[in-house]
Amino acid sequence: MATLLQHQDLETRSAKNYVTEVFELVKKRNPNESEFHQAVKEVFDSLIPVLAANPNYMKHGILERMVEPERVISFQVPWIDDHGKVQVNRGFRVQFNSAIGPYKGGLRFHPSVNASIIKFLGFEQIFKNSLTGQPIGGGKGGSDFDPKGKSDTEIMRFTQSFMSELSKYIGPDIDVPAGDIGVGAREIGYMFGQYKKIRGAYEAGVLTGKGLSYGGSLGRKEATGYGTVYFVEEMLQDVGLGFKGSTVVVSGSGNVSIYAIEKAEQLGAKVVACSDSSGYIYDKQGINLDTVKRLKEVEGKRISEYVIQHPHAQYYPDCSGIWSIPCDIALPCATQNEIDDAAAKLLVSNGVIAIGEGANMPSTLEAVNVFHENKVLFGPAKAVNAGGVAVSALEMAQNSMRLSWTLEEVDLKLQEIMKDIYTNSIQAAQDYNAPGNLVVGANIAGFKKVADTMISQGVI
Ligand code: NAP
């Protein structure tokens, strides 16, 4: 018995050393990429027990290979604005890991985009895509282009120039981009048109999030937000709770937020606050989603205008203040690192029961520790928001078969997928001695399939 324990100790120590060594290498090779380091650290910390139990992963250099993207493409995107001035942005596509399928992941257009952000998102995507149970690898891309304040023709010229270069590296069996922050149906439409023109072929499966008239899937627009709520409902039901009768705060007012609000309300919750990058609104009677949809989806206005229609509500010009509102469930659905240590403590002191990360990495590592220490139910992004990419994979399947499923069919599949992700993550956490820790569970469940596949395919 003593020898067995000593042996396990040794394995754990060598797994810890291995993780430390590879993480140091990541920092050295990728200096000044703090978001990428953060994402790698979160995954690595979870993997120690799985590496200790399966030293084969160390022998095959799996971590070293996983943290190095298979390909990083960085390119110039020149375009002409409405005043005839030449503008130049930077485009990226990181093709991270193709062990289990073609690269898959969104495109983000936001001024904050840089190599670190695209790499953290691409790295996360490997495990998220694996968790969905679909045959898709991990990738991500985007540009530091700021769509805010641009005319429709400027958006078109920019996206066409972006696709002129990107088209060389993607294809239905190679790499299939989708939307993310700043990239919705309009941008996907322009990019698809340009891709079709360049290739001279109608390859519907090259992009997902397309319009319904040219190969889009019913339910894709709603998938990430609905999936977020389905996952959190699973988490709550496991302890005898649910959205019904709860008070919810959702940050952001974009694609993920709007459909998270919609599903939470359908399940009987009252959503009292949402935000944009300028500020947040608090409507204690419950947010009127029709107003938010009109302002954001149709008119492209700021969330501050909500209070013009609903004068009993309040607007506060600081988006981070949203976490001071007391709630049972918080769904951060805007952007990375929007909940820090202080915001997490505030949520806890106001009695929050559950957090579901609709956005990618919205909580800092310190904030996640605060939630765990205080026994708050915590659903990590790569599990919670995987519904979007899962339905993107369903869109690819429909494109391959040249048919369309009904909204009910897609929604049912989404519900099953989110339930499976929850079950597999909670089971993996249990198996590796971290009961209830969904960060550990999701990382391990996502990792094992990719790692085992990499071993079967050899060092390539
Ligand atoms: P979106 O439609 O562009 O909406 C983003 C929302 O977040 C907007 O309300 C935006 O406000 C707000 N926001 C952006 N940057 C912010 C900042 N620095 N501080 C505060 N608020 C900020 O994007 P989305 O598709 O909903 O994506 C939101 C998050 O979900 C991202 O983390 C994305 O990676 C993740 N995600 C999306 C999908 C998907 O299917 N779309 C799937 C998985 C994960 P403004 O309008 O003022 O910029």
Side-chain angles (χ1 to χ4, degrees):
M1 184 66 179
T3 331
L4 181 65
L5 283 179
Q6 273 164 4
H7 183 68
Q8 283 175 346
D9 238 27
L10 215 65
E11 296 293 13
T12 303
R13 219 168 324 134
S14 89
K16 274 188 183 155
N17 288 343
Y18 173 58
V19 160
T20 309
E21 262 169 44
V22 182
F23 186 58
E24 287 307 315
L25 191 70
V26 168
K27 288 197 286 187
K28 196 168 150 209
R29 272 205 180 144
N30 307 275
N32 310 317
E33 296 189 355
S34 59
E35 294 86 358
F36 180 46
H37 301 168
Q38 182 182 339
V40 171
K41 173 119 186 65
E42 190 236 70
V43 172
F44 275 18
D45 284 349
S46 305
L47 295 182
I48 291 166
V50 88
L51 295 166
N54 307 274
N56 215 20
Y57 293 141
M58 298 188 254
K59 191 179 125 205
H60 286 268
I62 291 298
L63 293 193
E64 295 90 315
R65 291 160 63 194
M66 265 190 189
V67 294
E68 194 58 35
E70 291 173 12
R71 201 166 295 103
V72 178
I73 302 144
S74 167
F75 53 95
Q76 183 198 71
V77 191
W79 57 284
I80 297 176
D81 70 18
D82 285 349
H83 308 289
K85 189 171 181 309
V86 175
Q87 302 280 351
V88 180
N89 285 96
R90 187 173 282 181
F92 296 95
R93 187 72 185 166
V94 176
Q95 298 180 330
F96 231 113
N97 188 298
S98 60
I100 62 169
Y103 310 105
K104 181 91 197 83
L107 296 170
R108 176 178 290 192
F109 291 169
H110 193 272
S112 64
V113 163
N114 56 33
S116 172
I117 296 218
I118 298 300
K119 275 159 77 177
F120 112 66
L121 290 164
F123 183 70
E124 291 268 298
Q125 201 80 42
I126 304 170
F127 308 98
K128 180 188 307 194
N129 292 3
S130 164
L131 279 173
T132 66
Q134 315 271 342
I136 40 178
K140 198 80 189 188
S143 171
D144 58 1
F145 172 75
D146 186 358
K148 270 202 202 92
K150 302 292 188 299
S151 70
D152 196 55
T153 49
E154 286 178 322
I155 299 276
M156 185 168 71
R157 284 195 293 275
F158 170 79
T159 49
Q160 288 173 342
S161 177
F162 182 84
M163 183 49 89
S164 294
E165 186 62 24
L166 186 68
S167 63
K168 297 170 187 166
Y169 309 102
I170 62 174
D173 295 315
I174 302 169
D175 181 355
V176 183
D180 190 81
I181 292 180
V183 179
R186 173 181 59 168
E187 290 74 18
I188 294 287
Y190 292 149
M191 283 192 272
F192 183 71
Q194 182 75 351
Y195 179 86
K196 177 165 65 81
K197 180 164 180 166
I198 290 171
R199 287 293 169 105
Y202 206 102
E203 298 172 358
V206 70
L207 290 167
T208 59
K210 299 181 294 292
L212 295 178
S213 59
Y214 59 98
S217 174
L218 285 162
R220 173 61 188 92
K221 183 176 65 170
E222 296 84 353
T224 311
Y226 279 19
T228 294
V229 172
Y230 291 146
F231 187 97
V232 175
E233 182 72 357
E234 288 293 325
M235 210 163 76
L236 290 164
Q237 281 187 3
D238 232 1
V239 293
L241 300 168
F243 270 92
K244 199 171 170 37
S246 66
T247 299
V248 180
V249 165
V250 179
S251 65
S253 49
N255 174 260
V256 180
S257 319
I258 284 177
Y259 293 96
I261 296 172
E262 185 164 279
K263 185 52 71 180
E265 286 182 348
Q266 285 171 10
L267 295 188
K270 183 161 81 168
V271 182
V272 293
C274 69
S275 59
D276 59 21
S277 56
S278 313
Y280 70 94
I281 52 157
Y282 175 46
D283 186 341
K284 69 168 185 276
Q285 294 177 13
I287 279 173
N288 183 312
L289 188 58
D290 288 340
T291 305
V292 175
K293 278 189 178 178
R294 184 173 48 71
L295 288 173
K296 290 300 194 178
E297 290 189 327
V298 184
E299 297 170 357
K301 293 200 169 139
R302 307 307 295 160
I303 202 68
S304 54
E305 300 214 11
Y306 180 91
V307 297
I308 299 172
Q309 308 275 305
H310 306 280
H312 62 272
Q314 286 105 44
Y315 172 73
Y316 300 91
D318 166 19
C319 56
S320 61
I322 195 167
W323 308 120
S324 64
I325 300 172
C327 61
D328 304 308
I329 301 164
L331 303 177
C333 294
T335 194
Q336 63 273 359
N337 292 329
E338 52 173 311
I339 302 188
D340 61 9
D341 182 62
K345 285 178 178 152
L346 203 52
L347 280 160
V348 168
S349 67
N350 283 330
V352 75
I353 295 164
I355 310 285
E357 294 190 320
N360 282 312
M361 207 168 74
S363 316
T364 63
L365 293 171
E366 295 76 21
V368 178
N369 287 338
V370 170
F371 294 135
H372 280 150
E373 281 159 13
N374 288 280
K375 308 268 178 285
V376 174
L377 297 173
F378 181 77
K382 59 175 75 65
V384 173
N385 71 32
V389 74
V391 173
S392 273
L394 300 181
E395 183 174 331
M396 289 162 71
Q398 293 169 80
N399 292 156
S400 295
M401 294 186 288
R402 295 178 191 276
L403 51 77
S404 304
W405 293 325
T406 64
L407 183 58
E408 290 68 29
E409 280 176 284
V410 174
D411 191 49
L412 209 62
K413 288 183 202 298
L414 172 64
Q415 289 183 49
E416 282 166 8
I417 290 169
M418 298 316 297
K419 204 181 174 71
D420 287 347
I421 295 175
Y422 178 74
T423 312
N424 294 338
S425 303
I426 208 83
Q427 187 61 50
Q430 182 76 31
D431 293 346
Y432 286 91
N433 251 337
N437 186 329
L438 287 164
V439 174
V440 169
N443 284 334
I444 291 179
F447 168 83
K448 282 180 75 174
K449 183 168 145 194
V450 178
D452 292 341
T453 309
M454 285 169 73
I455 293 174
S456 349
Q457 292 176 0
V459 179
I460 40 172

